[in-house]
């Protein structure tokens, strides 16, 4: 049987029920920065798109494991306290799905409220090959909020959460919602979906939650993430990773309206780097001269990292 598509209204309701309201209403920083390499800078400027990587192919697999641990703990608690006997889908199904997750193409692109962090330069670039692209936070959030897939599924720009208590709340909300709609049979509308669709529903939304939960060790990054719904492989592209091909999707950013600055990472050739960045931005149609009468959305600033080259 072909899997059924979850109605858009149900999908939208799901996000509001699973994720605390403050995630959607939190004021976005004035500027959100995306760290990248020279190749990434060229690609983003020339295409007006950003790469969103499939979550299960991100560098730090411990992020997913942290979320799975919270989910397992919550499921075990509810399984122990459950007095109902259920047909079909049950608590053990949830636990087994955690061991086989990864088929749904939820993807992410990362931003930071800090545009000149040593840890970010080390993590995302090499000496002389790093850039921090500064996007207008409010414009970026509004633009991403209006993006949808061909099926009407939405994209989100939300802040990562670093506090364990919030992590537990996210896990509890997820398990409570899924059990209510699949095990307790309290949602008649959901009964029309077959088992494999429910599996996809579970996988997609736990992967979305996993992108919000991060270890407190990374709190200084103040990370925000563009998170996609499940995306089709027909739209995917692939890049070479260290151990496997990595699937990614190109997401429109309308950079002429959202990009407002570029910080050049630590380099022994800061003047040459500045000139080249000026050239590629000018070619695209940006103006780096604040006093020249050009459309406001075309104005952009270029800065150099304040982190000394010798400290890297």
């Amino acid at each position: 049987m072909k899997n059924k598509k979850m109605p858009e209204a149900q999908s939208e309701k799901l996000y509001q029920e699973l994720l605390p309201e403050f995630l959607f209403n939190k004021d976005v920083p004035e500027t959100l920065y995306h760290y990248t390499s020279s190749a990434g800078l060229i690609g983003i400027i020339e295409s007006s798109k950003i790469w969103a990587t499939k979550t299960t192919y991100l560098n730090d697999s411990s992020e997913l494991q942290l979320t799975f641990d919270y989910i397992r703990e919550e499921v075990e608690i509810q399984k122990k306290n459950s007095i109902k006997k259920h047909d079909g889908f049950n608590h053990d199904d949830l636990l087994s799905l955690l061991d086989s997750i990864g088929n749904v193409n939820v993807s992410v692109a990362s931003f930071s409220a800090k545009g000149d962090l040593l840890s970010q330069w080390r993590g995302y670039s090499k000496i002389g090959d790093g850039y921090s692209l500064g996007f207008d936070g409010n414009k970026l959030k509004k633009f991403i909020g209006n993006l949808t897939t061909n099926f009407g599924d939405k994209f989100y720009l939300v802040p990562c959460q670093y506090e364990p208590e919030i992590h537990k709340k996210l896990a509890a909300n997820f398990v409570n919602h899924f059990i209510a709609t699949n095990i307790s049979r309290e949602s008649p509308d959901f009964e029309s979906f077959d088992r494999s669709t429910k599996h996809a529903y579970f996988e997609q939304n736990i992967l979305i939650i996993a992108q919000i939960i991060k270890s407190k060790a990374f709190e200084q990054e103040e990370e925000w993430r563009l998170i996609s719904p499940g995306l089709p492989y027909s739209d995917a592209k692939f890049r070479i990773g260290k151990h496997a091909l990595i699937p990614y999707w190109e997401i429109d950013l309308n950079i002429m309206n959202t990009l407002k600055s570029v910080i050049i990472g630590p380099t022994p050739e800061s003047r040459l780097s500045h000139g080249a960045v000026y050239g590629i931005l000018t070619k695209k149609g940006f103006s780096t001269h604040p006093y020249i009468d050009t459309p406001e959305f075309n104005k952009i600033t270029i800065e150099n990292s304040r982190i000394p080259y010798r400290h890297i």
Side-chain angles (χ1 to χ4, degrees):
M1 179 184 295
K2 184 177 181 180
N3 290 355
K4 297 182 180 180
K5 176 74 173 61
M6 185 174 298
E8 181 180 352
Q10 176 73 13
S11 178
E12 179 67 14
K13 180 183 178 184
L14 170 73
Y15 285 103
Q16 300 300 334
E17 291 177 345
L18 289 184
L19 303 180
E21 186 177 352
F22 71 84
L23 286 176
F24 296 100
N25 297 333
K26 183 177 180 179
D27 291 336
V28 66
E30 181 179 347
T31 306
L32 281 174
Y33 298 91
H34 177 71
Y35 288 80
T36 189
S37 63
S38 297
L41 170 74
I42 294 170
I44 292 171
I45 297 299
E46 292 185 347
S47 69
S48 293
K49 299 179 186 295
I50 194 170
W51 289 6
T53 302
K54 184 170 178 176
T55 60
T56 48
Y57 287 78
L58 294 176
N59 289 333
D60 190 357
S61 60
S62 65
E63 290 184 10
L64 285 177
Q65 191 58 52
L66 180 62
T67 301
F68 292 173
D69 289 344
Y70 282 117
I71 297 293
R72 282 193 181 92
E73 180 181 359
E74 183 64 30
V75 171
E76 290 290 358
I77 291 173
Q78 296 203 23
K79 178 182 176 181
K80 181 179 179 180
N81 295 333
S82 176
I83 60 175
K84 295 182 179 181
K85 299 296 183 180
H86 306 295
D87 297 326
F89 218 93
N90 55 48
H91 295 86
D92 291 328
D93 284 319
L94 292 182
L95 295 175
S96 65
L97 283 176
L98 290 174
D99 297 325
S100 61
I101 202 164
N103 295 323
V104 177
N105 295 329
V106 171
S107 62
V108 299
S110 295
F111 299 85
S112 172
K114 303 292 183 63
D116 193 12
L117 278 179
L118 178 59
S119 62
Q120 296 295 84
W121 293 125
R122 283 175 167 166
Y124 289 92
S125 63
K126 300 177 182 179
I127 294 299
D129 188 38
Y131 303 87
S132 176
L133 308 185
F135 294 87
D136 184 293
N138 287 310
K139 289 181 179 179
L140 184 65
K141 185 175 183 180
K142 182 178 179 180
F143 183 81
I144 291 173
N146 290 325
L147 289 177
T148 61
T149 66
N150 293 334
F151 297 105
D153 293 318
K154 292 190 174 184
F155 293 72
Y156 291 92
L157 181 67
V158 292
C160 290
Q161 300 300 306
Y162 303 94
E163 296 297 332
E165 289 307 311
I166 295 179
H167 298 167
K168 293 177 182 179
K169 181 178 180 180
L170 288 169
N173 284 355
F174 175 80
V175 175
N176 286 337
H177 180 88
F178 199 79
I179 287 177
T181 55
N182 291 275
I183 297 178
S184 298
R185 309 304 188 190
E186 296 174 4
S187 177
D189 292 338
F190 208 86
E191 288 298 317
S192 63
F193 295 99
D194 60 39
R195 188 181 183 86
S196 59
T197 300
K198 294 179 182 182
H199 285 201
Y201 173 89
F202 173 88
E203 291 179 337
Q204 173 171 316
N205 292 290
I206 195 174
L207 286 174
I208 288 173
I209 291 173
Q211 303 321 306
I212 298 169
I213 291 177
K214 289 204 71 174
S215 168
K216 195 172 179 62
F218 300 101
E219 188 174 20
Q220 69 161 348
E221 297 174 0
E222 296 183 33
E223 185 176 358
W224 286 63
R225 283 183 164 178
L226 184 167
I227 306 176
S228 82
L231 300 173
Y233 268 128
S234 58
D235 296 332
K237 293 190 175 183
F238 298 85
R239 59 187 174 88
I240 299 173
K242 291 183 179 179
H243 306 291
L245 292 176
I246 299 176
Y248 70 92
W249 285 259
E250 293 184 330
I251 311 298
D252 187 18
L253 282 189
N254 187 17
I255 64 167
M256 295 303 294
N257 180 254
T258 59
L259 185 63
K260 69 175 188 177
S261 66
V262 176
I263 298 177
I264 299 169
T267 174
E269 299 290 352
S270 58
R271 184 169 297 181
L272 288 177
S273 294
H274 192 286
V277 171
Y278 169 83
I280 192 172
L281 292 173
T282 301
K283 179 181 178 180
K284 182 67 177 180
F286 286 103
S287 171
T288 62
H289 302 285
Y291 303 111
I292 293 180
D293 187 18
T294 58
E296 185 64 31
F297 62 81
N298 277 2
K299 293 181 179 179
I300 196 167
T301 61
I302 306 174
E303 306 172 37
N304 288 98
S305 170
R306 296 182 180 182
I307 296 176
Y309 169 69
R310 64 181 181 274
H311 284 181
I312 299 297

